Amino acid sequence: MTADYQAIAQSLTLPDQAFINGAAYRAQSGNTFDTTNPATGELLAKITACDAADVDIAVGHARAAFNDGRWRLLSPAERKARLLAFADALAAHSEELAVMESLDSGKPVNECLTVDVPETLHVLRWHAETIDKLYDQTAPVGSQAMAMIIREPVGVVGCVLPWNFPLLMLAWKIGPALAAGCSLVVKPAEDTSLTALRVAQLAAEAGIPAGVFNVITGTGKAVGEPIGLHPDIDMVSFTGSTATGRRFLHYAAESNLKRVVLECGGKNPAVVMDDAEDIDSVAAHILNGALWNMGENCSATSRLLVQRGIKARLLKAMQAQLATWTMGDPLDPANRLGALINPTHFAKVSSYLAQAKTESLRVLHGGDTEQGVYVQPTLIDDVPPGSRLFREEIFGPVLAIRSFDTPEEAIELANDTPYGLAASVYSGNLRQALHLSRSIRAGTVTVNCFGEGDATTPFGGYKESGFGGRDKSVYAHDQYTELKTIWIDLSAVAQQGEA
């Protein structure tokens, strides 16, 4: 099987130019940047390095497409048909996209094939099917008037993407935005531009009009900042670090007060009570939450809060299961852990392993690195609440463990963070599980499992984990639309009828 994926990798024609107005585009400066395979360090492609001048061109085409209505004025049925055709085009290239994603990000190819690509298709199809099922409203204002409340697309949207789930985060944003009738300027992460560019090509082939779906490649400073400051972009949807998210709020204030929606970081707890059932299942969910995508996941389980009576059994079960979390070549489908995204991030994650040694913390498993940018799955016990490992987002396969005695202590520990993105609760007592779920300040709380819900459920966070809206579900459509009130005075009509 590995040989099959290696053969696909060798056969790929990797996109290396931005995509503007339905065609490949080279930056006016002629500059490029390198994108490399994190697992090997090998050069994959030299990607067009855009800047503010290129952003202006992309926004101009997006605005022209929006103004003339080539997409937004299509009937809901026609937009739905084209989005479904778009999803079908991606499905026909599933293996290509999965291998390209693995090469560019270091993610295990099996994960790309079984999670990222299928979920990308599902999200696009789900939002396509939603187009003709969201109804506008009327308000009860009496017999002398009629009030209509309608949705209109917000306009030109800047989508700024992270590198940890390039395809899926792209789908979370373009699905509802295209369904609403918006035009897009997408900035993929500098480290993972390839699949966004390929998706844009396939969108054009599937009938998404030129100018509606534009992809601008480059750095955050050269492309992301001009998007945030651009006076003709109506909204920015961003997923990434909280520090970068704050900048987009400043950009909006300094420019046109564009709408900003942020999905940012997390330091997410798993709370395991003494009465949790099926310890092997609990252990599997916690490890999946902590190690999935090498822990490079904003909703990763990065803190395990476990009641003392069950702690020894749970840790024993977790350590027994760690043998299944094999690490190595991302193109080997047997591996569940691949390479971290780049040397800079590897150094950051490694610094927390060094911190654990500095604090003389008890490392139960892992705690070291391997050749290249590989970090061993790591469990660290008895981490003090004041430790950096307990408080800061590591974004790597590192789980900090802390014991507690009472539910109140668990809630206090769970909420002792500036973040509030996700959490999970494990208990055999429904009342207790609901009490904990309602008490933990997080946008998503799962019970007896790790996850983020599905396409029907909103995703976003409390506190410094989010701002302005939610991804996924029908609620995502709210952020890509404006509400308009149309008030019709019927009194004049009634008077004419009486005359």
Side-chain angles (χ1 to χ4, degrees), residues 42 49 51 103 131 159 210 235 330 349 366-367 373 391 415 422 453 467:
E42 295 175 0
D51 58 24
L103 289 173
I131 290 175
C159 301
M235 176 204 162
V349 175
V373 288
R391 302 197 63 79
N415 288 334
F467 177 89

Side-chain angles (χ1 to χ4, degrees), residues 97-393:
L97 290 168
V99 172
M100 194 180 293
E101 188 94 318
S102 178
L103 289 173
D104 209 18
S105 68
K107 296 166 70 77
V109 69
N110 193 53
E111 184 177 301
C112 297
L113 281 165
T114 59
V115 179
D116 295 54
V117 173
E119 280 299 304
T120 294
L121 302 177
H122 175 60
V123 166
L124 290 175
R125 288 171 173 150
W126 193 89
H127 286 292
E129 290 290 354
T130 306
I131 290 175
D132 55 6
K133 299 171 183 67
L134 289 176
Y135 293 91
D136 295 327
Q137 299 176 333
T138 60
V141 295
S143 61
Q144 300 302 303
M146 175 176 286
M148 301 169 61
I149 305 167
I150 64 173
R151 296 171 182 256
E152 293 183 348
V154 71
V156 175
V157 175
C159 301
V160 182
L161 307 178
W163 46 256
N164 58 335
F165 289 94
L167 272 173
L168 190 52
M169 295 303 97
L170 175 67
W172 279 17
K173 297 184 186 307
I174 69 173
L178 289 174
C182 298
S183 294
L184 309 178
V185 176
V186 175
K187 183 212 171 296
E190 185 181 354
D191 287 298
T192 53
S193 300
L194 295 178
T195 48
L197 292 171
R198 184 64 179 129
V199 167
Q201 294 172 353
L202 293 170
E205 294 172 12
I208 305 300
V212 171
F213 186 177
N214 307 279
V215 178
I216 301 293
T217 48
T219 65
K221 180 67 175 176
V223 175
E225 182 176 328
I227 286 175
L229 290 168
H230 205 286
D232 211 21
I233 289 180
D234 301 293
M235 176 204 162
V236 167
S237 180
F238 167 83
T239 295
S241 72
T242 299
T244 303
R246 291 179 190 274
R247 294 179 193 165
F248 280 97
L249 296 178
H250 285 287
Y251 299 152
E254 293 167 12
S255 56
N256 59 339
L257 289 179
K258 59 177 59 65
R259 183 181 301 177
V260 176
V261 175
L262 307 176
E263 195 273 284
C264 299
K267 190 65 178 175
N268 312 293
V271 178
V272 183
M273 305 301 294
D274 281 349
D275 59 6
E277 301 171 341
D278 193 348
I279 298 303
D280 287 338
S281 175
V282 174
H285 279 291
I286 292 170
L287 289 177
N288 189 45
L291 305 180
W292 176 41
N293 198 41
M294 295 75 71
E296 296 172 327
N297 177 18
C298 56
S299 64
T301 298
S302 54
R303 295 182 296 154
L304 170 58
L305 309 177
V306 55
Q307 203 162 15
R308 293 186 193 279
I310 204 171
K311 180 179 179 180
R313 291 171 55 207
L314 177 62
L315 294 185
K316 182 179 179 181
M318 291 170 63
Q319 289 173 291
Q321 293 181 23
L322 277 167
T324 68
W325 285 88
T326 53
M327 181 171 64
D329 181 5
L331 289 183
D332 182 347
N335 287 327
R336 300 177 71 183
L337 290 164
L340 297 193
I341 186 65
N342 58 40
T344 300
H345 184 61
F346 172 77
K348 175 198 170 187
V349 175
S350 300
S351 74
Y352 287 96
L353 302 183
Q355 183 71 25
K357 294 175 183 177
T358 298
E359 296 182 23
S360 300
L361 298 177
R362 183 179 172 221
V363 178
L364 302 179
H365 186 91
D368 211 340
T369 63
E370 298 190 7
Q371 186 175 5
V373 288
Y374 291 86
V375 172
Q376 295 175 348
T378 299
L379 309 183
I380 305 175
D381 196 11
D382 295 326
V383 179
S387 169
R388 289 177 56 217
L389 285 92
F390 194 85
R391 302 197 63 79
E392 297 178 10
E393 185 178 39

